Amino acid sequence: MASAQWPCLILALLSYLAASGFPRSPSRPLGRQSLPEGVVDGIEVYSTKISCKVTSRFAHNVVTTRAVNRADTAKEVSFDVELPKTAFITSFTLTIDGVTYPGNVKEKEVAKKQYEKAVSQGKTAGLVKASGRKLEKFTVSVNVAAGSKVTFELTYEELLKRHKGKYEMYLKVQPKQLVKHFEIEADIFEPQGISTLDAEASFITNDLLGSALTKSFSGKKGHVSFKPSLDQQRSCPTCTDSLLNGDFTITYDVNRESPANVQIVNGYFVHFFAPQGLPVVPKNVVFVIDVSGSMYGRKIQQTKDALLKILEDVKEDDYLNFILFSGDVTTWKDNLVQATPENIQEAREFVMNIHSQGMTNINDALLRGISMLNKAREENAVPERSTSIIIMLTDGDANVGESKPEKIQDNVRNAIRGKFPLYNLGFGNNLNYNFLESMALENHGLARRIYEDSDANLQLQGFYEEVANPLLTSVEVEYPENAILDLTQNTYQHFYDGSEIVVAGRLVDKDLNNFKADVKGHGAINDLTFTEEVTPEKITLQNGAAQSTFSWLDTVTVRQDGLSVTINRKKNMVISFGDGVTFVVVLHQVWKKHPVHQDFLGFYVVDSHRMSTQTHGLLGQFFHPFEFKVSDVHPGSDPTKPDATMVVKNHRLTVTRGSQKDYGKDVSSGTKVTCWFVHNNGQGLIDGVHSDYIVPSLF
């Protein structure tokens, strides 16, 4: 049986500090009225802030808690943070009276040993342990002298995964006492643009949440802020304990003008792929269900409830079967059957009569299910364009038949041979979850723990919903040969509706001008190929000998020596310097197949009056007002465009009325403005002649 006590990820070891050895003081109501409100056992936590910065699905989170010991004696102060299991800690610091002590981050095996050693030596150490379904807990305690202040700061990062059509950022809120300044602030930046943004809390009513929560999004940016006052934190109007104890969840999604999006930054790329609107590929599903004696009672009833609900959602094009295992293995049908209304009703009756008894024969049950799927495919008993899935649920370890985990893994791997995924669901804690996870991963699936709570049936249903709608099978992401280095996983058995495939890599040539990314897969009707053309035209910023290279696919701001350059992906580049002088270079893109026109850059000046009167050049000579007069408006050669006489710089010119697009405010479509056109390449209006301003090459 696997141990659940040490699923630790990392250790923060503060070797400079000696721990007090005091036991952690239990929280209790405030008894001394002379102390500020919110003081518990002499300790006031006066500030807690969770700051989240999300860029392109990657979250950088900083948790900062500040406390002061208002007691007359030294006290132990504890810092607990629950963070997502998919996150990784990048730094931890502890600051006491202005002196900062950094923590050392270690891998889990080293962490466990050093944690035990540190504690035995009376040093301050923190450890990450499992804490519920989605979280792991980081805990550290330190002895703080009377009147001293302490600041804990933990930084962790995670890649947000798309789940049922949304990215989810999950924060645990549990300050354990009233906090004068409590805040959660999240800033989200997505180059594709944000399509939806929401936030909710499990511990507070919608009425109270609404007054403490602000959320907004526009274009590429989104913002969420949760700042409850002291009164909003109280569990009741006269209480001194906090109701902030639960989950705060931020969800969002991005605009998808095309199935794929490739972003390039400093020679690295990340490729996001999430097509929409594809027909669902029919499934051939075998449910392998543990009905041993340990499943007796609530577990088996919740499993039956979940299976009955799943049967309501099975599509008629799907094929299915049930395999039950205890000491023996039994099947509902000898072969897979189509999910017709008649068969679904019969399946419901079968599920309702499931009972638990006996031992646990995992090996034979899985091999029976794999054989059934292989046979159906070989005999063409299922649709050619269908996909096979095997889902096993168990609450214990194998104890009859083949019981060695490594041998069961070999048998299953050799039987599946990479043809379809295996998903393992572990019910409760009394099982070898590492075995289930390892076996699932090596067969292109995954494992999920089902917690023994009142909603276990909903957990089972939720997992099935994740895999219920495959849109593509045998997905492969291809890039040009010899152009990419250090590629992450780029082949997938399935792409499921509402999820996202993410591939990252490094470009061999950092200055690569373009490359093509192809995503190939089998759909419900035909084979599909999605192609994304990546064309990162170079933008080079030079400062003496040093230079930085970017592209129109970047979103970045560079500031140095009073100069600010901001590149807005595929739109424009804004250059500001001096006393508010700003230039905007707009990328005007045209239809790629146009026989004549090509993409071009438009150069615009904002607040040109701030430029020196000595500024010159084709544009610069007009940055400041000059005298001119237009008269004698009369019909021209084009009836829709009258001519007139302009007197300017002691020259009398013939000008024509027309219109032009101004892209200063609307960079995509421009704004139509009327103007006078000067003929003969501006002769008489500009200083000199037009050829004075033409150079054969800029570099």
Side-chain angles (χ1 to χ4, degrees):
M1 197 168 80
S3 169
Q5 282 102 21
W6 293 105
C8 48
L9 298 179
I10 44 188
L11 166 75
L13 179 62
L14 309 172
S15 57
Y16 310 109
L17 300 173
S20 65
F22 289 174
R24 182 171 303 178
S25 301
S27 298
R28 62 175 183 265
L30 179 62
R32 296 172 57 189
Q33 297 300 319
S34 59
L35 293 176
E37 187 174 27
V39 175
V40 175
D41 197 25
I43 300 299
E44 179 190 2
V45 178
Y46 59 90
S47 174
T48 292
K49 182 172 183 178
I50 304 173
S51 177
C52 311
K53 305 288 185 183
V54 181
T55 302
S56 299
R57 288 75 149 173
F58 193 79
H60 177 91
N61 304 316
V62 180
V63 183
T64 306
T65 291
R66 305 179 191 276
V68 59
N69 181 5
R70 298 203 178 274
D72 297 330
T73 60
K75 291 285 184 178
E76 184 184 67
V77 179
S78 298
F79 176 69
D80 297 333
V81 175
E82 295 190 64
L83 59 152
K85 291 183 177 180
T86 55
F88 56 96
I89 295 177
T90 55
S91 70
F92 174 71
T93 61
L94 182 63
T95 302
I96 300 178
D97 288 340
V99 180
T100 299
Y101 305 91
N104 296 325
V105 179
K106 303 292 183 180
E107 294 294 337
K108 63 180 181 180
E109 293 302 325
V110 177
K112 177 183 175 182
K113 295 178 181 178
Q114 291 197 7
Y115 176 81
E116 293 171 340
K117 182 179 179 181
V119 171
S120 68
Q121 294 177 349
K123 295 179 179 178
T124 297
L127 189 69
V128 176
K129 294 185 180 181
S131 174
R133 302 177 188 180
K134 301 181 180 181
L135 301 170
E136 289 178 309
K137 179 179 286 188
F138 173 87
T139 301
V140 66
S141 300
V142 64
N143 193 40
V144 179
S148 292
K149 293 183 177 181
V150 58
T151 299
F152 302 91
E153 184 172 282
L154 178 73
T155 302
Y156 69 91
E157 299 176 346
E158 66 171 326
L159 177 65
L160 304 181
K161 292 188 175 181
R162 193 166 184 255
H163 173 73
K164 296 183 181 179
K166 293 181 179 179
Y167 304 99
E168 179 183 84
M169 185 158 51
Y170 184 83
L171 304 171
K172 187 70 172 182
V173 177
Q174 196 176 21
K176 299 180 182 178
Q177 63 190 85
L178 298 177
V179 180
K180 185 176 181 181
H181 301 289
F182 182 92
E183 180 179 7
I184 296 174
E185 189 169 38
D187 288 296
I188 302 170
F189 179 83
E190 287 292 347
Q192 289 174 258
I194 298 173
S195 61
T196 62
L197 174 64
D198 200 6
E200 59 183 23
S202 65
F203 49 82
I204 194 171
T205 65
N206 287 335
D207 290 341
L208 286 176
L209 179 64
S211 60
L213 174 71
T214 59
K215 55 186 178 181
S216 63
F217 69 95
S218 177
K220 302 176 183 180
K221 297 181 179 180
H223 181 76
V224 174
S225 177
F226 176 61
K227 298 174 67 174
S229 64
L230 280 175
D231 287 340
Q232 290 172 325
Q233 296 177 42
R234 301 181 196 277
S235 58
C236 71
T238 59
C239 293
T240 58
D241 56 333
S242 175
L243 60 73
L244 303 186
N245 185 3
D247 308 328
F248 188 85
T249 307
I250 298 172
T251 57
Y252 74 93
D253 200 16
V254 301
N255 297 319
R256 301 183 189 278
E257 297 177 358
S258 63
N261 177 257
V262 180
Q263 300 175 21
I264 300 177
V265 178
N266 297 331
Y268 293 85
F269 77 92
V270 60
H271 186 178
F272 301 102
F273 178 73
Q276 296 175 306
L278 298 177
V280 175
V281 177
K283 303 182 301 299
N284 315 309
V285 187
V286 173
F287 297 92
V288 181
I289 307 299
D290 183 348
V291 293
S292 61
S294 58
M295 288 284 291
Y296 178 78
R298 187 167 76 161
K299 286 184 185 177
I300 199 67
Q301 186 58 51
Q302 289 177 321
T303 300
K304 291 163 64 173
D305 291 343
L307 291 175
L308 290 172
K309 181 61 178 176
I310 287 171
L311 285 172
E312 295 179 9
D313 298 331
V314 173
K315 298 174 176 60
E316 192 165 350
D317 291 338
D318 294 341
Y319 284 68
L320 76 158
N321 206 342
F322 292 98
I323 294 177
L324 309 181
F325 68 95
S326 53
D328 300 318
V329 177
T330 60
T331 62
W332 170 45
K333 300 287 186 180
D334 292 335
N335 301 293
L336 289 170
V337 298
Q338 188 174 356
T340 62
E342 297 78 14
N343 285 336
I344 290 296
Q345 180 56 36
E346 189 177 341
R348 288 177 59 83
E349 295 171 1
F350 174 80
V351 168
M352 286 188 287
N353 289 313
I354 291 177
H355 301 286
S356 59
Q357 61 179 359
M359 308 285 279
T360 306
N361 190 343
I362 292 176
N363 184 78
D364 290 354
L366 281 175
L367 294 183
R368 180 81 63 88
I370 296 167
S371 174
M372 189 178 292
L373 289 170
N374 285 333
K375 180 182 177 183
R377 181 67 70 188
E378 292 165 1
E379 297 180 352
N380 297 318
V382 293
E384 179 182 0
R385 284 193 174 273
S386 62
T387 186
S388 299
I389 297 173
I390 187 165
I391 300 174
M392 181 184 72
L393 170 70
T394 183
D395 76 332
D397 299 334
N399 53 23
V400 67
E402 180 55 68
S403 59
K404 294 181 180 178
E406 60 274 12
K407 183 60 177 176
I408 297 174
Q409 281 186 240
D410 288 343
N411 292 342
V412 169
R413 182 177 60 254
N414 293 333
I416 291 182
R417 291 176 302 193
K419 290 182 288 187
F420 49 82
L422 165 66
Y423 296 104
N424 289 330
L425 305 180
F427 205 144
N429 292 313
N430 297 320
L431 48 76
N432 188 340
Y433 185 78
N434 289 340
F435 157 62
L436 297 180
E437 185 174 48
S438 175
M439 183 165 59
L441 290 174
E442 68 181 10
N443 290 289
H444 305 290
L446 56 84
R448 182 74 54 80
R449 191 185 296 276
I450 305 300
Y451 291 86
E452 294 185 57
D453 290 331
S454 59
D455 68 341
N457 57 323
L458 298 179
Q459 297 176 53
L460 290 167
Q461 292 168 222
F463 172 79
Y464 178 76
E465 290 171 1
E466 292 181 42
V467 300
N469 297 305
L471 302 183
L472 293 171
T473 64
S474 302
V475 181
E476 184 172 1
V477 188
E478 299 178 347
Y479 303 95
E481 292 185 14
N482 305 320
I484 307 297
L485 293 173
D486 305 326
L487 196 66
T488 60
Q489 179 183 348
N490 66 323
T491 59
Y492 295 84
Q493 281 272 4
H494 293 103
F495 169 76
Y496 294 107
D497 190 24
S499 66
E500 182 176 61
I501 289 175
V502 181
V503 181
R506 181 159 58 95
L507 300 175
V508 173
D509 179 5
K510 289 185 178 181
D511 297 327
L512 185 67
N513 286 325
N514 60 78
F515 71 87
K516 185 176 71 170
D518 289 331
V519 182
K520 299 179 179 180
H522 303 311
I525 301 173
N526 52 16
D527 292 346
L528 300 170
T529 299
F530 303 85
T531 300
E532 178 79 0
E533 293 281 352
V534 182
T535 57
E537 294 92 341
K538 290 191 296 184
I539 300 173
T540 303
L541 306 180
Q542 290 184 301
N543 181 13
Q547 74 174 35
S548 300
T549 302
F550 304 96
S551 81
W552 284 108
L553 296 177
D554 291 331
T555 296
V556 65
T557 297
V558 178
R559 294 184 178 89
Q560 185 174 353
D561 299 333
L563 174 71
S564 172
V565 178
T566 298
I567 301 170
N568 296 306
R569 175 183 165 86
K570 291 185 176 181
K571 288 189 175 181
N572 58 40
M573 179 171 66
V574 181
I575 305 104
S576 300
F577 62 91
D579 186 20
V581 177
T582 301
F583 299 94
V584 179
V585 180
V586 178
L587 174 63
H588 298 288
Q589 294 179 298
V590 300
W591 180 44
K592 288 182 172 55
K593 296 182 180 180
H594 197 285
V596 177
H597 295 161
Q598 297 180 344
D599 293 355
F600 65 96
L601 301 179
F603 186 85
Y604 303 90
V605 181
V606 182
D607 296 330
S608 58
H609 63 280
R610 296 180 182 273
M611 301 289 286
S612 166
T613 55
Q614 297 181 355
T615 302
H616 205 272
L618 189 60
L619 297 179
Q621 60 189 296
F622 302 111
F623 283 170
H624 293 277
F626 58 91
E627 293 184 359
F628 69 94
K629 182 179 179 180
V630 176
S631 61
D632 187 27
V633 179
H634 58 274
S637 58
D638 185 342
T640 64
K641 298 179 179 179
D643 284 350
T645 299
M646 175 184 287
V647 177
V648 59
K649 297 182 179 179
N650 296 320
H651 294 102
R652 184 178 294 271
L653 310 175
T654 297
V655 293
T656 301
R657 190 73 161 177
S659 65
Q660 183 67 294
K661 286 287 190 73
D662 179 2
Y663 293 91
K665 295 181 179 179
D666 184 348
V667 297
S668 58
S669 301
T671 304
K672 186 177 180 180
V673 296
T674 56
C675 54
W676 292 105
F677 284 83
V678 179
H679 303 284
N680 300 323
N681 296 315
Q683 184 175 350
L685 175 67
I686 63 175
D687 295 339
V689 296
H690 72 279
S691 58
D692 295 337
Y693 303 94
I694 298 175
V695 294
S697 175
L698 289 177
F699 305 104

